[in-house]
Amino acid sequence: MNSYGTNFRISIFGESHGKLIGVAMDGVPAGISLSEEDFMADLNRRRSGARGTTPRKEDDIPHIVSGTFEGCTTGAPLTVVFENNNTISKDYSLFREIPRPGHADFTAQVKHNFFNDIRGGGHFSGRLTLALVAAGVVAKKILGNIRINAQITAIAGLADPSKWDAAIEGAMAEGDSVGGIIECTCTGVPAGLGEPFFNSLESEIAHLAFSIPGVRGIEFGDGFAAAAMKGSEHNDCFTDIDGHTATNGAGGINGGISNGNPIVFRIAVKPTSSISKVQHTANFITGEIEEFSVKGRHDACIALRCPVIVEAIAAIALAQHIQ
Amino acid sequence: MNSYGTNFRISIFGESHGKLIGVAMDGVPAGISLSEEDFMADLNRRRSGARGTTPRKEDDIPHIVSGTFEGCTTGAPLTVVFENNNTISKDYSLFREIPRPGHADFTAQVKHNFFNDIRGGGHFSGRLTLALVAAGVVAKKILGNIRINAQITAIAGLADPSKWDAAIEGAMAEGDSVGGIIECTCTGVPAGLGEPFFNSLESEIAHLAFSIPGVRGIEFGDGFAAAAMKGSEHNDCFTDIDGHTATNGAGGINGGISNGNPIVFRIAVKPTSSISKVQHTANFITGEIEEFSVKGRHDACIALRCPVIVEAIAAIALAQHIQ
Amino acid sequence: MNSYGTNFRISIFGESHGKLIGVAMDGVPAGISLSEEDFMADLNRRRSGARGTTPRKEDDIPHIVSGTFEGCTTGAPLTVVFENNNTISKDYSLFREIPRPGHADFTAQVKHNFFNDIRGGGHFSGRLTLALVAAGVVAKKILGNIRINAQITAIAGLADPSKWDAAIEGAMAEGDSVGGIIECTCTGVPAGLGEPFFNSLESEIAHLAFSIPGVRGIEFGDGFAAAAMKGSEHNDCFTDIDGHTATNGAGGINGGISNGNPIVFRIAVKPTSSISKVQHTANFITGEIEEFSVKGRHDACIALRCPVIVEAIAAIALAQHIQ
Amino acid sequence: MNSYGTNFRISIFGESHGKLIGVAMDGVPAGISLSEEDFMADLNRRRSGARGTTPRKEDDIPHIVSGTFEGCTTGAPLTVVFENNNTISKDYSLFREIPRPGHADFTAQVKHNFFNDIRGGGHFSGRLTLALVAAGVVAKKILGNIRINAQITAIAGLADPSKWDAAIEGAMAEGDSVGGIIECTCTGVPAGLGEPFFNSLESEIAHLAFSIPGVRGIEFGDGFAAAAMKGSEHNDCFTDIDGHTATNGAGGINGGISNGNPIVFRIAVKPTSSISKVQHTANFITGEIEEFSVKGRHDACIALRCPVIVEAIAAIALAQHIQ
């Protein structure tokens, strides 16, 4: 289903080329100051514009259509919608004939028996992350003094930022795309948030992280490197009775529950699936393998727009537990 | 909370040194042949015994206490419990004085205001994975012809199995521990399982994977390596109209939904936190940093016992969507 | 929270005088023919116009803003919104000073610390039942051949329809209001829907029935009368091996599960709380008991508009179980 | 499913003649004093013994098998189980041949394809209400100073308690049974508990009330009588700025939220379905209508044992909202 959460519950809806993209949020405490302006900073961080991002420009103007009154949240469901304006009318039937490699064209039509909206990927479009970012803005407000910061730590396998532009442009020149790694740090998280087992903070964050289209992996603290460490290296010894630790190999979480140290996790974002470079893939009508090239407006590196989305899902996950 | 799932819902309960460990399962279809014998193969895979596993030996005899009749499931809640017999009575108050690094001693007492059961980690114990394995046995039955296989692919950073014993023994000799990587492959999964966004198959599997104590990361298909690949390398082109793909960089999932190719994921398991090697950590009564060594019976490499647990969570996740 | 359901999940949002009233529906099967026209019949049944209903006239035009493509549902979240046009700007601060008897003015401001939207009752307004009716239209489509029919069986305690107009007009002449009873019958429900205990069909239907503002009671089959009957009178003996019964005292449900006979239930709707007749109630600013009269546009008998809402909640409840 | 609740979540399991009846509770705050003794008072109220109750005597000894430590709840899942000892081995296949009128024999076998446990009604047995009462004991502890009291207000349609014994004995003499009405009052409930619409307090309470086998109706405050009242009669005017009201027609709830006045509701309990009096019902093997008489040990008036169960569900419902 397209909802998540218990204490702070979000439901998203919309399609890439439909009328509205939106998110309905339940469990927002009453009395939080909130205006449409408050969404702009994060929405702008998600917008295209930088090199490597799609030339499709949407206004992405948020409309609060329920849940506020006189500038504050009311405690009733808070709903934010966005209109889709900059859609280009074209024939998308090719997506049925040749499902795009790396996309959900094939799986969506299997699941929904060819009734899925194929225009721009329909409901499976990355454009739905608008709704996640909007929910993240609200979640951050709920979290108060907790600070969440995500940034890119690698593009195309390169950790050195000075090399990223060249890597992206090189890929673009070939009609190809590149991936990236994003690291997110949450500071000011009080100890005691989360649950053992099924609602561990890692479970909640990972659940939402894999809701972001294109995420291939997530790791906390030492992450995959921990598997090659010894216990004496990976363990975080306490340095005081407040729970501060000398290292942070666990990423701020023990037994599913925050320990007061920064929560740190990294996610791997795949290279954009839509590439103009020729691929050889099946035509589902003829059964033949054909040369295929994705036309249209696309990001060469979707990871560039992801940090604010990653912050959003971290905030949404924490907001389940803060209240 | 300690429940997970909608169509196949599991609730686990128990403590390391309590009376019973158990799992109540809801949504089990009626008419599945099920006996206590059926649990033994997977339970034995989880048991200790191999080098590097704890000398604490429990019988781990499953008792089906509700939900079957005349050898078959009834459709009513299916509950399986295990008695804890081999508990050693001792003074656990040290866990309050010096919370063990890497464990949930500190976070549990913050969250539950010092009322947590500290004996052997209480509810946070890895012993609770018994309940996951039992639920996994039932989930595998629900899945019918889907085959799930997990195995260790690295121990202590070593991919070569012939080196694992030495690595484990070397760590044990130092009173230390090692971690490992487990890869899980699910074959025979029909295309069309899963949901976009919040209930993506990756979200479900990752949610449950991070419910296993000691998991630090999860990745699907090409995983973190995808972040360093180009789209033309990572994309999975279709080779026929059934959805078979030439590569499996997406790990069998597009847009959150199975595409019919094998679902492949890997998880990173930390080195065991309980080590006899001396650590320097805070005494929460005195506020001093002290030398600390964990006594008792422990695994040197918990990853060794994890493959069957990983299979269990994969099966539980898929069982949400198969019906 | 403002969501309900698992297999067919609805989330409602909006306020009486906000921008939009809406409902997001998840779990709608793909491939159901659906247009905005399809909503009009049921929406018209809910609209005001008859004697005893409010003179506030809203267009109540449904806008499908997500979840359909080329005239059919896609399997993605289906969202329907309504604009609020006919709102009259006025000073609602009186609702804070003198919370209206029978309304949620007092409880909403306690719960939401005076941040609740007080205009026309805000989110607590009966206008939100628009969203229920819209969801009911979709649920009825999901239910296929199941027929749901609700009608008024009593107004002002009178079972004879020929006396209802006079009763309503008499009450209106006094600035007062009247209540009513609605009976709902669902035919064509296959045996086997529902669950024992918590998700019994009665539980699901009752849960949703009490989501309708103004409902004071619900009873199934023989209902309260059953408490005065003998077992030999109330039991429904089977007349054939298909499960048909000679009587229907259980209202078509045994052990929480449909038995194939018509599901029959009745709900009691209170008289409209907003009356112009003088009441004596506390002024929360002064602490004095004052004469109070509710001005504005109101129904004299909200029960008149309820049958289609009752059908909607019955359909929504059954849609949880039909798939 | 056999779970209910979010903040205080209960999962019940077991069968009338299975090994264990149990309830797993999640969301129990840590630090509540709790022993097996604490359950006895309410369990004894549910037990048989009075005239009109079944001669089957079970010890009904509660065993806390998880979730407490040193006499207090730990915050981990709290599980209480009961052994079934006093089961009489007999041939229950008649229940398949002639499903008992008023019971779930027919619906259970349709739903579960004849794999249901038929012994004593299996999972559908009223014996499962043991689990509800146990959960109610814990819920009452969570509620602190809120007082919940349920009592019988009518038996066999008679409001005068002095006539009840004769009515019951009269029915027993005929091999028949009688129903009853139970009224429940919750005092000390703070204003502000509950949610508008789907999680209204009425919705929560009604949902759980219809989980009790044999409940045919529920009404709050003035209940069904409200449908025959005028608004000026049914409205509850405020008498002070704390929200006290002159009348309590709404049963202490406005807009789904407690208003601080006593929550009052009544439920109708059907006459026991198991009667030895001859009924004429279908034999599902032969297709013939046969004379049928239920043998064995049964209550003549299940309502007698229900007040404590009704208190339990009221407490469970309120415990969702108190935290």
Side-chain angles (χ1 to χ4, degrees):
Chain A
M1 303 292 208
N2 295 277
S3 298
Y4 192 77
T6 48
N7 289 326
F8 174 62
R9 185 169 188 89
I10 63 174
S11 301
I12 64 173
F13 54 85
E15 291 89 21
S16 179
H17 291 57
K19 287 188 186 165
L20 298 178
I21 302 276
V23 56
M25 290 163 264
D26 219 337
V28 181
I32 295 178
S33 163
L34 188 75
S35 72
E36 286 156 356
E37 272 301 303
D38 293 334
F39 292 89
M40 296 315 298
D42 274 6
L43 290 172
N44 285 336
R45 289 174 63 202
R46 182 195 162 280
R47 290 184 68 188
S48 55
R51 194 161 15 202
T53 61
T54 174
R56 171 176 171 182
K57 295 280 182 8
E58 284 280 1
D59 290 336
D60 292 351
I61 305 295
H63 301 278
I64 302 175
V65 295
S66 78
T68 62
F69 178 54
E70 296 179 346
C72 286
T73 58
T74 61
L78 177 64
T79 307
V80 181
V81 301
F82 300 86
E83 294 172 10
N84 287 321
N85 298 312
N86 193 5
T87 55
I88 292 180
S89 221
K90 68 169 189 177
D91 182 5
Y92 280 95
S93 60
L94 182 62
F95 289 10
R96 293 235 190 276
E97 192 172 344
I98 306 185
R100 292 169 296 168
H103 281 278
D105 298 340
F106 170 67
T107 55
Q109 71 190 25
V110 168
K111 183 173 185 67
H112 294 312
N113 199 21
F114 293 86
F115 286 102
N116 59 307
D117 180 350
I118 52 175
R119 299 168 300 165
H123 181 58
F124 290 78
S125 168
R127 188 156 165 71
L128 269 286
T129 58
L130 255 185
L132 295 179
V133 172
V137 167
V138 177
K140 287 174 181 177
K141 288 219 166 197
I142 293 173
L143 295 179
N145 289 327
I146 294 173
R147 292 293 155 225
I148 300 177
N149 179 265
Q151 45 194 333
I152 297 171
T153 59
I155 292 288
L158 304 166
D160 180 351
S162 69
K163 296 182 181 172
W164 295 349
D165 277 357
I168 293 167
E169 288 184 15
M172 290 173 76
E174 299 169 5
D176 216 333
S177 62
V178 294
I181 305 279
I182 290 158
E183 182 171 273
C184 183
T185 303
C186 313
T187 53
V189 180
L193 303 190
E195 299 282 342
F197 297 98
F198 305 128
N199 284 359
S200 73
L201 281 189
E202 298 107 319
S203 289
E204 299 263 31
I205 292 171
H207 192 127
L208 286 162
F210 283 110
S211 302
I212 305 173
V215 170
R216 283 285 173 269
I218 186 169
E219 60 178 14
F220 290 81
D222 288 335
F224 274 83
M229 296 169 78
K230 292 194 174 164
S232 57
E233 298 168 315
H234 177 64
N235 275 355
D236 302 316
C237 290
F238 294 102
T239 57
D240 63 31
I241 63 172
D242 295 325
H244 289 106
T245 53
T247 51
N248 195 12
I253 304 170
N254 293 129
I257 298 170
S258 61
N259 63 22
N261 294 280
I263 292 175
V264 180
F265 65 94
R266 280 168 300 282
I267 67 163
V269 180
K270 73 176 181 183
T272 315
S273 295
S274 292
I275 54 174
S276 59
K277 190 169 182 177
V278 169
Q279 302 174 78
H280 296 83
T281 191
N283 180 312
F284 278 54
I285 306 295
T286 66
E288 300 297 311
I289 304 300
E290 295 190 1
E291 292 202 343
F292 178 73
S293 169
V294 180
K295 311 300 184 197
R297 307 167 296 174
H298 304 289
D299 293 82
C301 178
I302 54 174
L304 294 176
R305 297 165 71 182
C306 282
V308 71
I309 306 170
V310 173
E311 288 180 10
I313 64 96
I316 294 165
L318 290 173
Q320 305 301 329
H321 296 275
I322 201 68
Q323 302 178 64
Chain B
M1 303 293 208
N2 294 277
S3 297
Y4 192 77
T6 48
N7 289 326
F8 175 63
R9 184 167 189 89
I10 62 175
S11 301
I12 64 173
F13 54 84
E15 293 88 21
S16 179
H17 292 56
K19 288 189 187 164
L20 298 178
I21 302 277
V23 55
M25 292 164 262
D26 219 336
V28 181
I32 295 179
S33 163
L34 188 74
S35 71
E36 286 156 357
E37 273 300 302
D38 293 335
F39 292 89
M40 296 314 300
D42 275 6
L43 290 172
N44 284 336
R45 290 173 61 201
R46 182 195 164 279
R47 290 184 69 186
S48 56
R51 196 161 13 205
T53 61
T54 175
R56 171 176 171 185
K57 296 278 180 9
E58 284 280 0
D59 289 337
D60 293 352
I61 305 295
H63 300 278
I64 302 175
V65 296
S66 77
T68 61
F69 179 52
E70 297 180 342
C72 286
T73 58
T74 62
L78 177 64
T79 307
V80 180
V81 301
F82 300 86
E83 293 172 11
N84 288 321
N85 298 312
N86 193 3
T87 55
I88 292 180
S89 221
K90 68 167 189 179
D91 181 5
Y92 281 95
S93 61
L94 182 63
F95 290 9
R96 294 236 189 275
E97 192 170 344
I98 306 184
R100 293 168 296 168
H103 280 277
D105 298 340
F106 170 68
T107 55
Q109 72 189 24
V110 169
K111 182 172 186 68
H112 294 311
N113 200 21
F114 292 86
F115 286 102
N116 60 307
D117 180 351
I118 52 174
R119 300 168 299 164
H123 181 60
F124 291 78
S125 166
R127 188 156 166 72
L128 268 287
T129 57
L130 255 186
L132 296 179
V133 172
V137 168
V138 177
K140 287 175 180 176
K141 288 219 166 197
I142 294 173
L143 295 179
N145 290 324
I146 294 174
R147 293 292 155 225
I148 300 178
N149 179 264
Q151 46 194 330
I152 297 171
T153 59
I155 293 288
L158 304 166
D160 180 350
S162 68
K163 297 182 181 171
W164 295 348
D165 277 357
I168 293 167
E169 287 184 17
M172 289 172 75
E174 299 168 7
D176 215 333
S177 62
V178 293
I181 304 279
I182 290 157
E183 181 171 274
C184 185
T185 303
C186 312
T187 52
V189 180
L193 303 191
E195 299 282 342
F197 297 99
F198 304 128
N199 283 358
S200 74
L201 281 189
E202 297 107 321
S203 290
E204 299 263 30
I205 292 170
H207 192 125
L208 286 163
F210 283 111
S211 302
I212 304 172
V215 169
R216 282 287 173 268
I218 186 170
E219 60 179 12
F220 290 82
D222 288 334
F224 274 83
M229 295 167 78
K230 291 194 173 164
S232 57
E233 298 167 315
H234 178 64
N235 276 354
D236 301 317
C237 290
F238 293 102
T239 57
D240 61 33
I241 62 173
D242 296 325
H244 289 106
T245 53
T247 51
N248 195 13
I253 304 170
N254 293 128
I257 297 171
S258 61
N259 63 22
N261 294 280
I263 292 176
V264 180
F265 66 94
R266 279 167 302 282
I267 69 163
V269 179
K270 74 175 182 184
T272 314
S273 295
S274 292
I275 53 175
S276 59
K277 190 169 182 177
V278 169
Q279 302 175 78
H280 296 84
T281 191
N283 180 312
F284 278 54
I285 306 296
T286 65
E288 300 299 309
I289 305 298
E290 296 190 3
E291 292 202 343
F292 179 73
S293 170
V294 180
K295 311 302 185 195
R297 306 166 296 172
H298 304 289
D299 293 82
C301 178
I302 53 173
L304 295 177
R305 295 166 71 183
C306 282
V308 71
I309 306 170
V310 173
E311 289 181 10
I313 64 94
I316 295 165
L318 290 174
Q320 304 301 330
H321 296 274
I322 200 69
Q323 302 177 64
Chain C
M1 303 292 207
N2 295 277
S3 297
Y4 192 77
T6 48
N7 289 325
F8 175 62
R9 184 168 189 88
I10 64 174
S11 301
I12 65 173
F13 54 85
E15 290 89 21
S16 180
H17 291 56
K19 287 189 188 165
L20 298 178
I21 302 276
V23 56
M25 292 164 261
D26 219 335
V28 181
I32 295 178
S33 163
L34 189 74
S35 71
E36 286 155 356
E37 273 299 303
D38 293 335
F39 292 88
M40 296 314 299
D42 274 6
L43 290 171
N44 283 337
R45 290 173 62 200
R46 181 196 164 279
R47 291 185 68 187
S48 57
R51 194 161 15 204
T53 61
T54 175
R56 171 176 171 184
K57 294 280 182 6
E58 284 281 0
D59 290 336
D60 292 351
I61 305 296
H63 301 278
I64 302 175
V65 295
S66 77
T68 60
F69 179 53
E70 297 180 343
C72 286
T73 57
T74 62
L78 177 65
T79 307
V80 180
V81 301
F82 301 86
E83 294 172 9
N84 287 321
N85 298 312
N86 193 5
T87 56
I88 292 179
S89 221
K90 68 167 188 179
D91 181 6
Y92 280 96
S93 60
L94 182 63
F95 289 9
R96 294 236 189 274
E97 193 170 343
I98 306 184
R100 294 168 295 168
H103 280 276
D105 297 341
F106 170 67
T107 55
Q109 72 190 23
V110 169
K111 182 171 185 69
H112 294 312
N113 200 21
F114 292 86
F115 286 102
N116 60 307
D117 180 351
I118 52 174
R119 298 167 301 164
H123 180 60
F124 291 77
S125 167
R127 187 155 167 72
L128 268 286
T129 56
L130 254 187
L132 295 180
V133 172
V137 168
V138 176
K140 287 174 180 177
K141 288 219 165 196
I142 293 173
L143 295 178
N145 289 326
I146 294 173
R147 293 292 154 226
I148 299 177
N149 180 264
Q151 46 194 331
I152 297 170
T153 59
I155 292 288
L158 305 167
D160 180 350
S162 69
K163 297 181 180 172
W164 296 347
D165 277 357
I168 294 167
E169 287 185 15
M172 289 173 74
E174 300 168 6
D176 216 332
S177 61
V178 294
I181 305 279
I182 291 158
E183 181 171 273
C184 184
T185 303
C186 312
T187 52
V189 180
L193 303 190
E195 300 281 342
F197 297 98
F198 305 128
N199 284 359
S200 74
L201 280 189
E202 297 107 321
S203 289
E204 298 264 30
I205 292 170
H207 192 127
L208 286 163
F210 283 110
S211 302
I212 304 172
V215 169
R216 283 286 174 268
I218 185 170
E219 60 178 13
F220 290 82
D222 288 334
F224 274 83
M229 296 168 78
K230 291 194 175 164
S232 57
E233 298 167 315
H234 177 64
N235 276 353
D236 302 316
C237 290
F238 294 102
T239 57
D240 62 32
I241 64 172
D242 297 324
H244 289 105
T245 53
T247 52
N248 194 13
I253 304 171
N254 293 128
I257 298 171
S258 61
N259 64 20
N261 293 282
I263 292 175
V264 180
F265 65 95
R266 280 167 301 281
I267 69 164
V269 180
K270 73 176 182 183
T272 314
S273 295
S274 292
I275 54 175
S276 59
K277 189 169 182 176
V278 168
Q279 303 174 78
H280 295 84
T281 190
N283 180 312
F284 277 54
I285 307 295
T286 65
E288 300 298 310
I289 305 298
E290 296 190 1
E291 292 203 342
F292 178 73
S293 169
V294 181
K295 312 299 185 198
R297 308 166 295 174
H298 304 289
D299 293 82
C301 178
I302 53 173
L304 295 177
R305 296 167 70 183
C306 282
V308 70
I309 305 170
V310 173
E311 289 181 10
I313 64 95
I316 294 166
L318 290 174
Q320 305 301 329
H321 295 274
I322 199 69
Q323 303 177 64
Chain D
M1 302 295 208
N2 294 278
S3 297
Y4 192 77
T6 49
N7 289 326
F8 175 63
R9 184 168 190 88
I10 63 174
S11 300
I12 65 173
F13 54 85
E15 292 88 21
S16 180
H17 291 57
K19 287 188 186 164
L20 299 178
I21 301 278
V23 56
M25 292 165 262
D26 219 337
V28 180
I32 295 178
S33 163
L34 188 74
S35 71
E36 285 156 356
E37 274 300 303
D38 294 334
F39 292 89
M40 295 316 298
D42 274 7
L43 290 172
N44 284 336
R45 290 173 62 202
R46 182 196 162 278
R47 289 184 71 188
S48 54
R51 196 162 12 204
T53 61
T54 174
R56 170 176 172 183
K57 294 280 182 5
E58 284 281 0
D59 290 336
D60 293 352
I61 305 294
H63 301 278
I64 302 176
V65 295
S66 78
T68 61
F69 179 52
E70 297 178 344
C72 285
T73 58
T74 61
L78 177 65
T79 307
V80 180
V81 301
F82 301 86
E83 295 172 10
N84 287 321
N85 298 311
N86 193 4
T87 55
I88 292 180
S89 220
K90 68 168 190 177
D91 181 4
Y92 280 96
S93 60
L94 181 63
F95 289 9
R96 293 235 190 276
E97 193 171 343
I98 305 184
R100 293 169 296 168
H103 281 277
D105 298 340
F106 170 68
T107 56
Q109 71 190 23
V110 168
K111 183 172 185 67
H112 294 312
N113 199 22
F114 292 86
F115 286 102
N116 60 307
D117 180 351
I118 52 174
R119 298 169 299 165
H123 181 59
F124 291 78
S125 167
R127 186 154 167 72
L128 269 286
T129 58
L130 255 186
L132 295 179
V133 172
V137 168
V138 176
K140 287 174 180 176
K141 287 219 165 194
I142 293 173
L143 295 178
N145 289 326
I146 295 173
R147 293 293 155 225
I148 300 177
N149 180 265
Q151 45 194 331
I152 297 171
T153 58
I155 293 288
L158 304 166
D160 180 350
S162 69
K163 297 181 181 172
W164 296 347
D165 277 356
I168 294 168
E169 287 183 15
M172 289 173 76
E174 300 169 6
D176 215 333
S177 62
V178 294
I181 304 279
I182 291 158
E183 181 172 271
C184 183
T185 303
C186 312
T187 53
V189 180
L193 303 190
E195 301 281 342
F197 297 98
F198 304 127
N199 284 357
S200 74
L201 281 189
E202 297 107 320
S203 289
E204 299 263 30
I205 292 171
H207 192 126
L208 286 162
F210 284 111
S211 302
I212 304 173
V215 169
R216 283 286 173 269
I218 186 169
E219 60 177 13
F220 290 81
D222 288 334
F224 274 84
M229 296 168 78
K230 291 194 174 164
S232 57
E233 299 167 314
H234 177 65
N235 276 354
D236 302 317
C237 290
F238 294 102
T239 56
D240 61 32
I241 64 172
D242 296 323
H244 289 106
T245 53
T247 51
N248 195 13
I253 304 169
N254 293 128
I257 297 171
S258 61
N259 63 22
N261 294 281
I263 292 176
V264 180
F265 66 94
R266 279 168 301 283
I267 68 163
V269 179
K270 73 176 182 183
T272 314
S273 295
S274 293
I275 54 175
S276 58
K277 189 169 182 177
V278 169
Q279 301 174 78
H280 295 83
T281 190
N283 179 312
F284 277 54
I285 306 295
T286 65
E288 300 298 309
I289 305 299
E290 296 190 1
E291 292 202 342
F292 179 73
S293 169
V294 180
K295 311 300 184 196
R297 307 167 296 175
H298 303 289
D299 294 83
C301 178
I302 53 174
L304 294 177
R305 296 166 70 183
C306 282
V308 71
I309 307 170
V310 173
E311 289 181 11
I313 66 96
I316 294 165
L318 289 173
Q320 305 301 329
H321 296 275
I322 200 68
Q323 303 177 63

